[in-house]
């Protein structure tokens, strides 16, 4: 008997028929005597619909109330799945995040999980019930409902698996694993049987939404056995996220390509080219709790320079507001915003022992006439900002250039 946490995403829960199919899979695991905790997302499209509704009534929704609205999608699906399981003779009970007591901080719409009360879940599992928990939501110390950020049900799943010391956490989705890149963009993308935590962490943070980044962080920290697999196929192995670095000499230099459309570039024009200027610009931005991604300071001329950086598009207005306030103090001539960029990244743990990855990446893009606007690198990734209209082309040509479409 094993304890398994299964998480089903929006498409997997997208219709009564899909929910019945999830129930049948859960029943199969119960029939093998496994204890099963299921974490579900809202039906696909529902969270977007709820956000749009809130925005219709408020141009700048109060985060506390927004969380109350957008957490309702998962409250529907937990009970629907419980009903579907009961209908086929499987004892099941649903829990909202607050009912479990998934305690989070109070950072509405991007809360972090602090602790999980296991008592109720354990008692139900021991009584032979399937426990169904609403993904994406928790409760803060004041009893306010919180949500964990888009895609947060993955994190609920992995956090529960960690808290319960589950034998495995299975993330069921609409693709059968983690691919070399998003298979919706590159049909030649190949499924990976395994990927290291490090690589998965980079892929997730660079925009591969197949797993929410915090779920990968949790899995790495608490050594959760994590697998991504398809809810549409009867039997499949999916992709195992491994702690071990792949010792195989044949391990490819590049494992995958990630991309992110959610980039906005801000340029502070004509600032004095002197020590401390980066701090004067980015200090107030950091104080406003805005994450900065790529940064570039242009070569100065006549004692002046331009300073550019990227933030997520949702933070653009706040960032320009902050800079408008400090503009005079730093002596900037103007502030420009540009939302036409995106970011494309190649990721691979093999990169640090193989020089020439950057050169190959830049050569491949230049052969297509794609201009690189910004660059950032780490030990295991190289990211470039390019015009968004070239995104799909860039991902496709890089995928081919690094032989990711070749079977290994
Ligand atoms: P769920 O609703 O199940 O959480 P998501 O839409 O959040 O599903 O994540 C699955 C989607 O992630 C896939 O449909 C795929 O388009 C996308 N995706 C992006 N990058 C990758 C990748 N490298 N491998 C697999 N899927 C990816
Ligand atoms: N329903 C939430 C979202 O759409 C959480 C999730 O699906 O993981 O972001
Ligand atoms: Mg998701």
């Amino acid at each position: 008997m094993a304890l398994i946490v299964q998480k089903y995403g929006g498409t997997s829960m997208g219709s009564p028929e899909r929910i019945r199919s999830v129930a049948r899979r859960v029943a199969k695991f119960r029939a093998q005597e496994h204890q099963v905790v299921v974490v579900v997302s809202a039906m696909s499209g529902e969270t977007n619909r709820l956000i749009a509704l809130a925005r219709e009534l408020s141009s700048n929704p109060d985060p506390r109330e927004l969380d109350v609205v957008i957490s309702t999608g998962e409250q529907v699906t937990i009970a629907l799945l419980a009903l579907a399981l009961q209908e086929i003779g499987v004892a099941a009970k649903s829990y909202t995040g607050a009912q479990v007591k998934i305690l989070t901080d109070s950072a509405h719409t991007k809360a972090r999980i602090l602790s999980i009360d296991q008592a109720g879940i354990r008692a139900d599992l021991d009584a032979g019930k399937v426990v169904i928990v609403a993904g994406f939501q928790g409760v803060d110390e004041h009893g306010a409902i919180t949500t964990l950020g888009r895609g947060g049900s993955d994190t609920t799943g992995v956090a529960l698996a960690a808290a319960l010391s589950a034998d495995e956490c299975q993330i069921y989705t609409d693709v059968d694993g983690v691919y070399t890149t998003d298979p919706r963009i590159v049909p030649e993308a190949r499924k990976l049987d395994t990927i290291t935590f490090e690589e998965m962490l980079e892929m997730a943070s660079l925009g591969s939404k197949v797993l929410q980044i915090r779920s990968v962080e949790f899995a790495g920290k608490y050594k959760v056995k994590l697998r991504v697999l398809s809810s549409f196929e009867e039997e499949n192995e999916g992709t195992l996220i491994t702690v071990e670095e792949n010792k195989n000499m044949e391990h490819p230099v590049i494992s995958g390509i990630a991309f992110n459309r959610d980039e906005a570039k801000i340029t502070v024009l004509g600032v004095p080219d002197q020590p401390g200027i980066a701090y004067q610009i980015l200090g107030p931005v950091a104080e406003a709790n805005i994450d900065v991604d790529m940064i570039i300071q242009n070569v100065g001329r006549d004692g002046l320079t331009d300073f550019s950086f990227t933030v997520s598009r949702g933070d653009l207005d706040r960032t320009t507001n902050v800079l408008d306030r400090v503009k005079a103090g730093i002596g900037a001539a103007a502030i420009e915003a540009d939302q036409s960029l995106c970011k494309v990244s190649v990721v691979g743990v093999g990169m640090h022992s193989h020089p020439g990855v950057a050169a190959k990446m830049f050569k491949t893009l230049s052969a297509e006439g794609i201009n690189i606007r910004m660059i950032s690198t780490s030990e295991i990734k190289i990211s470039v900002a390019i015009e968004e209209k070239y995104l799909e082309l860039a991902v496709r040509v890089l995928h081919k250039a690094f032989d990711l479409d070749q079977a290994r």
Side-chain angles (χ1 to χ4, degrees):
M1 183 181 79
L3 169 53
I4 297 168
V5 175
Q6 300 187 334
K7 178 261 170 174
Y8 292 91
T11 319
S12 309
M13 295 293 290
S15 66
E17 192 34 58
R18 293 302 314 151
I19 294 176
R20 269 195 283 272
S21 154
V22 169
R24 285 194 292 273
R25 185 185 304 268
V26 173
K28 205 174 78 188
F29 277 83
R30 277 300 293 143
Q32 295 162 2
E33 300 292 318
H34 298 310
Q35 293 186 319
V36 188
V37 174
V38 187
V39 172
V40 295
S41 291
M43 290 173 141
S44 56
E46 180 63 4
T47 311
N48 286 344
R49 189 184 73 84
L50 293 166
I51 293 172
L53 257 180
R55 293 238 151 91
E56 243 184 68
L57 292 159
S58 164
S59 55
N60 185 20
D62 170 16
R64 182 190 183 279
E65 303 310 327
L66 186 61
D67 272 352
V68 177
V69 175
I70 67 178
S71 61
T72 57
E74 275 76 8
Q75 185 166 335
V76 172
T77 46
I78 49 171
L80 289 178
L81 180 58
L83 294 174
L85 279 163
Q86 290 165 5
E87 192 68 14
I88 55 173
V90 179
K93 182 168 157 189
S94 70
Y95 281 85
T96 65
Q99 285 172 329
V100 173
K101 200 152 183 240
I102 298 180
L103 186 71
T104 71
D105 62 19
S106 303
H108 285 288
T109 73
K110 50 180 177 215
R112 285 179 179 271
I113 296 176
L114 302 175
S115 64
I116 296 181
D117 189 343
Q118 309 173 30
I121 297 179
R122 289 267 183 215
D124 282 332
L125 289 175
D126 291 342
K129 290 183 190 147
V130 171
V131 172
I132 306 162
V133 179
F136 178 55
Q137 57 177 261
V139 63
D140 75 0
E141 57 175 344
H142 311 295
I145 295 173
T146 54
T147 64
L148 309 178
R150 300 306 305 271
S153 300
D154 297 333
T155 301
T156 308
V158 179
L160 269 166
L164 295 164
S165 305
D167 295 283
E168 184 163 321
C169 181
Q170 303 171 341
I171 306 282
Y172 286 94
T173 183
D174 53 6
V175 283
D176 62 348
V178 178
Y179 277 67
T180 46
T181 192
D182 189 340
R184 287 178 208 273
I185 301 288
V186 182
E188 295 78 28
R190 281 180 317 98
K191 188 192 76 105
L192 302 165
D193 293 334
T194 63
I195 183 169
T196 68
F197 270 105
E198 248 184 317
E199 288 170 327
M200 193 62 238
L201 209 53
E202 286 283 7
M203 292 280 281
S205 78
L206 296 169
S208 297
K209 296 197 169 65
V210 61
L211 284 177
Q212 198 201 32
I213 180 164
R214 283 193 194 156
S215 71
V216 188
E217 286 168 0
F218 255 103
K221 186 162 170 198
Y222 296 102
K223 306 272 179 288
V224 175
K225 187 173 175 199
L226 181 61
R227 199 182 282 280
V228 175
L229 57 183
S230 168
S231 70
F232 287 75
E233 285 172 30
E234 195 56 34
E235 299 282 338
N236 65 111
E237 291 288 302
T239 300
L240 184 67
I241 324 294
T242 57
V243 192
E244 283 287 293
E245 187 164 332
N246 197 328
K247 301 271 179 343
N248 184 351
M249 294 298 284
E250 295 297 313
H251 191 67
V253 178
I254 299 301
S255 296
I257 297 174
F259 55 85
N260 189 4
R261 298 178 196 272
D262 184 23
E263 294 276 330
K265 179 177 166 202
I266 290 165
T267 303
V268 187
L269 291 158
V271 289
D273 191 8
Q274 66 193 30
I277 200 68
Y279 173 68
Q280 284 176 48
I281 293 170
L282 296 181
V285 174
E287 264 164 42
N289 213 356
I290 297 166
D291 284 333
V292 169
D293 185 13
M294 304 173 99
I295 302 173
I296 195 164
Q297 180 167 348
N298 298 317
V299 179
R301 205 187 303 147
D302 305 329
L304 295 178
T305 186
D306 300 337
F307 188 93
S308 300
F309 59 96
T310 63
V311 296
S312 71
R313 290 183 187 176
D315 284 334
L316 180 60
D317 287 346
R318 278 198 314 131
T319 313
T320 47
N321 288 344
V322 167
L323 291 176
D324 279 338
R325 280 201 299 277
V326 298
K327 185 176 143 193
I330 52 182
I335 289 158
E336 273 178 2
D338 178 355
Q339 297 205 60
S340 67
L341 295 186
C342 69
K343 182 170 69 174
V344 176
S345 313
V346 298
V347 176
V349 287
M351 186 182 297
H352 53 78
S353 51
H354 285 80
V357 173
K360 185 167 184 172
M361 182 179 192
F362 303 157
K363 182 175 163 208
T364 306
L365 294 174
S366 90
E368 298 295 331
I370 301 173
N371 202 3
I372 298 170
R373 309 277 291 277
M374 293 171 124
I375 301 169
S376 72
T377 64
S378 79
E379 283 264 291
I380 67 165
K381 71 114 199 273
I382 300 166
S383 300
V384 295
I386 58 171
E387 268 186 78
E388 187 178 350
K389 65 180 181 195
Y390 294 124
L391 183 138
E392 297 192 6
L393 173 64
V395 175
R396 270 204 314 276
V397 293
L398 289 170
H399 194 267
K400 192 159 178 29
F402 286 101
D403 294 329
L404 290 174
D405 49 356
Q406 304 296 315
R408 285 179 205 131

